[in-house]
Amino acid sequence: MPLTTVETPTETDGASLSHGLKQRHLSMIALGGVIGAGLFVGSGAGIAAAGPSIVIAYALSGLLVMLVMRMLGEMSAAYPSSGSFSSHAERAIGPWAGFTAGWAFWVLLCTAVGLEGIGAAQIVHGWLPGTPEWAWVALFMVVFCGTNLAAVKNFGEFEFWFAALKVGAITLFLVLGVLALAGVLPGTDSPGGSHLTELLPNGGEGLVIGLLASVFAYGGLETVTIAAAESQDPVRGVARAVRTAMWRIAVFYVGSMAVIVALVPWDSPEVVENGPYVAALDRLGIPGAGQLMNVVVLVALLSAMNANIYGASRIGYSLVERGQGPKWLGRVSGGVPRVAVMASSVFGFLCVLLSYWRPDDVFAWLLNMIGAVILVVWIFIAVFQLRLRRRLERETPERLAVRMWAFPWLTWVALAGMATVFVLMAREPDTRVQLYSTGAMTLVLAAAGYAWQRARERR
């Protein structure tokens, strides 16, 4: 059945929001959302640990993410909502599940806004060393808070151009890298396969560390399903984004990792010190490679700040509309949940202040607490997809504009993959604390959500 003929149910949590996002906005958000700052910055540690097998790590984690996106896309096309997975979890499992997934993700996004602001400020401070970092963070916060307060189309325009710059930069990098490996780039000699002679230089343990690093580099893909609820054609937007996820992950993540480890020795100190992309461009003799990539990383960080303020405000608004938060947070003006935008920005800036005031205890505890939230969200996605898919097939099969591959078997495969990641996190000292801290926060939220659910049922 053509997507345009599918009757899309209207969600109450999106009824008073505007529909100012165009198809080009959604397409570019989907395209650029996969290119996060973690890809440019965090991948260096993964390469140093896993060596050339980092390509396998990114491919395995990419397969898991593709399955999660397919499941989420199936439900978001059937039930477009600014609450995305939180709304779906409530519908399939119960209000406590929507409460838990929604508020955990809100804390994650708001904290990430602060972290990205700090990273962006450090880059600008390097260019202008006489300026205080906190002032740059405050400036970025004001700019993107203002952008999101004005109208949703402003968020869409910023993300459109941010994504275009990121896509252009990484595409140019891939083209130059492939030409160099083929031996046709002027002024460079192809290393051939000389850097790929040892696939697992640090054994299986190195691959595990690289796998864990790669899993969390994929964060941010959920934004397109949140944004789709404010687009002119939510079903078509989600369907297109989900169906192109496979090649985007394959090209941008797996492809760039393959180019990097082929061009640069995996144990080169520059991979961690300067970042893998800068190290690769330096090998190609590209002048000003370091500053060029700093600009790209700055764009990626600012893009993530903008997207996370947007995502946090919409998740928070959706929770309030469903009676799972303070009513003042859900006030809408001009089609924008402006109080939720401001609250999300303030929370993010509070995280920045904590990084200065209490870096060794409160801020460190906060970082550990959000370390595995994305995995908790993914588990909720798999569980509610298992339950809602059966219901949709029985009651309204015409809403299944996007279908999960090989249902239910691949959903169970995805759940097994998530369980494996949890086990691997428990084995590693660096991630074990994150796993336990996230688990504690999830249990507290689940208990609060269940108590709220029971109280509402009694009323």
Side-chain angles (χ1 to χ4, degrees):
M1 178 177 293
L3 294 181
T4 52
T5 65
V6 176
E7 183 180 348
T8 305
T10 301
E11 293 294 303
T12 57
D13 64 0
S16 27
L17 298 180
S18 69
H19 293 272
L21 292 178
K22 299 178 181 178
Q23 185 58 50
R24 67 181 180 88
H25 293 146
L26 272 189
S27 297
M28 196 56 80
I29 289 170
L31 192 60
V34 76
I35 308 172
L39 176 62
F40 295 112
V41 181
S43 54
I47 292 172
S53 67
I54 192 67
V55 179
I56 299 174
Y58 269 89
L60 290 174
S61 55
L63 286 171
L64 176 59
V65 171
M66 282 190 284
L67 295 178
V68 172
M69 280 300 296
R70 191 77 184 187
M71 290 184 281
L72 180 57
E74 180 182 82
M75 294 300 106
S76 296
Y79 303 108
S81 166
S82 60
S84 187
F85 51 83
S86 175
S87 298
H88 308 328
E90 178 173 346
R91 177 179 286 107
I93 306 170
W96 71 269
F99 182 99
T100 304
W103 285 116
F105 198 67
W106 185 83
V107 173
L108 169 65
L109 291 183
C110 292
T111 306
V113 168
L115 293 175
E116 288 141 2
I118 293 171
Q122 288 173 345
I123 292 175
V124 180
H125 177 75
W127 295 335
L128 303 169
T131 55
E133 289 184 12
W134 67 265
W136 287 109
V137 178
L139 175 62
F140 297 146
M141 287 287 186
V142 169
V143 169
F144 293 118
C145 180
T147 298
N148 280 276
L149 283 174
V152 70
K153 66 179 181 180
N154 289 355
F155 158 75
E157 284 298 325
F158 265 93
E159 280 307 291
F160 180 86
W161 293 109
F162 279 150
L165 287 170
K166 290 188 293 183
V167 171
I170 201 166
T171 301
L172 179 60
F173 171 83
L174 289 170
V175 170
L176 291 174
V178 171
L179 291 176
L181 291 172
V184 296
L185 188 68
T188 60
D189 296 322
S190 174
S194 60
H195 300 152
L196 306 175
T197 54
E198 196 174 5
L199 181 63
L200 293 166
N202 291 322
E205 192 67 21
L207 177 60
V208 167
I209 295 172
L211 180 64
L212 293 176
S214 65
V215 166
F216 298 106
Y218 285 104
L221 291 171
E222 303 83 5
T223 302
V224 70
T225 62
I226 298 173
E230 292 182 78
S231 69
Q232 297 165 347
D233 191 346
V235 177
R236 185 176 296 277
V238 168
R240 185 174 297 176
V242 169
R243 286 168 180 162
T244 59
M246 181 178 295
W247 72 260
R248 287 184 281 124
I249 289 172
V251 172
F252 294 140
Y253 278 85
V254 181
S256 61
M257 288 300 107
V259 167
I260 289 168
V261 295
L263 286 175
V264 186
W266 67 270
D267 55 354
S268 174
E270 290 82 7
V271 170
V272 176
E273 293 172 4
N274 302 329
Y277 291 84
V278 174
L281 290 174
D282 283 339
R283 291 275 169 165
L284 299 181
I286 306 296
Q291 291 305 320
L292 177 65
M293 286 309 302
N294 274 337
V295 172
V296 175
V297 173
L298 177 63
V299 168
L301 288 166
L302 296 179
S303 172
M305 283 186 71
N306 188 36
N308 287 341
I309 290 175
Y310 170 82
S313 66
R314 268 46 177 192
I315 287 287
Y317 167 73
S318 175
L319 286 162
V320 172
E321 282 296 289
R322 304 194 318 265
Q324 299 179 358
K327 290 183 178 180
W328 56 266
L329 197 63
R331 293 174 187 165
V332 176
S333 175
V336 176
R338 288 178 174 152
V339 178
V341 169
M342 294 182 67
S344 302
S345 301
V346 169
F347 189 101
F349 193 65
L350 177 62
C351 295
V352 175
L353 296 179
L354 288 173
S355 74
Y356 292 109
W357 296 339
R358 305 292 295 270
D360 298 324
D361 45 24
V362 179
F363 187 64
W365 170 78
L366 185 62
L367 293 184
N368 285 328
M369 193 173 66
I370 64 170
V373 165
I374 196 64
L375 281 172
V376 173
V377 169
W378 289 356
I379 286 177
F380 274 116
I381 289 172
V383 173
F384 72 59
Q385 192 267 341
L386 280 171
R387 304 190 71 171
L388 287 180
R389 170 64 179 266
R390 297 295 193 197
R391 188 185 306 174
L392 281 166
E393 288 178 334
R394 289 194 310 269
E395 300 172 0
T396 52
E398 67 276 7
R399 290 181 182 173
L400 287 170
V402 178
R403 291 177 179 265
M404 177 61 179
W405 304 300
F407 177 81
W409 308 112
L410 284 184
T411 301
W412 286 108
V413 168
L415 277 168
M418 297 171 207
T420 301
V421 173
F422 274 126
V423 171
L424 295 177
M425 289 186 72
R427 290 179 62 252
E428 298 295 327
D430 291 340
T431 54
R432 188 181 302 138
V433 177
Q434 295 179 6
L435 179 63
Y436 295 159
S437 299
T438 298
M441 181 183 73
T442 303
L443 289 175
V444 169
L445 287 174
Y450 184 72
W452 168 85
Q453 178 180 328
R454 292 297 301 272
R456 190 173 73 168
E457 290 170 352
R458 285 194 295 269
R459 291 196 300 268

